[in-house]
Amino acid sequence: LAKTTQPISMDSYEGQEVNITCSHNNIATNDYITWYQQFPSQGPRFIIQGYKTKVTNEVASLFIPADRKSSTLSLPRVSLSDTAVYYCLLSSGTYKYIFGTGTRLKVLA
Amino acid sequence: DAGVIQSPRHEVTEMGQEVTLRCKPISGHDYLFWYRQTMMRGLELLIYFNNNVPIDDSGMPEDRFSAKMPNASFSTLKIQPSEPRDSAVYFCASSFRGLNTEAFFGQGTRLTVV
């Protein structure tokens, strides 16, 4: 399976926009890009999924360039409650959801 | 729906004992996944089922681990005999039509083997 690479950690302040970039140079044609959020002592929670261009929902936006070798999760105006670990995953017809190390986001007051 | 339900939430057992973790997926979901999370190894996919049939168990660490899904509403992950290195949080997740859709995770079972 194609591997994803994310920054290990990021800090931000409340009210700022946070962009977390994920690299996936060997992404396959049928791979979708999915992001999950995990709070301490909880299971991961789906945030957003996309295949190409831009996807937006009520909590985040996902930007995927034409070559699909990277993707950027954008969290608008973060709050303290957005402090969590964010995972970028690739999924395809093999149905193996493999989590990487994730990005630990800390939002400061 | 109450979401994916796992039991117990916490389990402490002695080395060598059998441990059984339980999962009730969301009604109507046809895929079920078992994950293990540790600080050292992160989230690892152990096994997944489609329509109650195990599809890929290549992530199961050893023969001491086994998983079953006797029906669409119940799955178990069993460790026999348990060892201290099995201590982790075990998550169950379910989805409809596989991984290109949203997977819903349970709250996890924190297993401690002493």
Side-chain angles (χ1 to χ4, degrees), chain A residues 30 32 36 38 41-44 46 49 87 91-92 94-97 99, chain B residues 31 35 37 43 45 48 56 58 91 98-103 105-107:
Chain A
N30 57 348
Y32 280 73
Y36 275 77
Q38 186 178 26
S41 302
Q42 294 188 24
F46 175 91
Q49 183 181 73
Y87 295 95
S91 60
S92 67
T94 59
Y95 299 120
K96 273 196 172 186
Y97 238 178
F99 284 78
Chain B
Y31 282 83
Y35 285 87
Q37 186 171 37
L43 269 163
L45 176 63
Y48 75 90
D56 188 335
S58 59
F91 289 103
L99 297 177
N100 287 345
T101 58
E102 179 176 355
F105 282 75
Q107 290 286 72

Side-chain angles (χ1 to χ4, degrees), chain A residues 58-103:
Chain A
E58 63 277 9
V59 297
S61 294
L62 178 60
F63 299 92
I64 305 169
D67 66 6
R68 302 200 328 123
K69 293 184 182 298
S70 67
S71 59
T72 299
L73 174 72
S74 181
L75 304 173
R77 298 180 297 283
V78 294
S79 64
L80 295 176
S81 62
D82 292 317
T83 294
V85 179
Y86 293 83
Y87 295 95
C88 165
L89 302 88
L90 301 181
S91 60
S92 67
T94 59
Y95 299 120
K96 273 196 172 186
Y97 238 178
I98 306 298
F99 284 78
T101 55
T103 297

Side-chain angles (χ1 to χ4, degrees), chain B residues 42-95:
Chain B
L43 269 163
E44 302 174 274
L45 176 63
L46 301 178
I47 185 172
Y48 75 90
F49 296 81
N50 176 218
N51 291 323
N52 313 336
V53 177
I55 302 301
D56 188 335
D57 65 354
S58 59
M60 297 286 262
E62 299 171 37
D63 291 344
R64 299 184 296 106
F65 286 70
S66 62
K68 294 181 179 179
M69 193 165 185
N71 57 62
S73 60
F74 184 65
S75 177
T76 60
L77 178 67
K78 184 179 294 185
I79 308 172
Q80 166 63 18
S82 58
E83 297 182 4
R85 59 191 168 129
D86 301 331
S87 297
V89 180
Y90 290 80
F91 289 103
C92 175
S94 71
S95 72

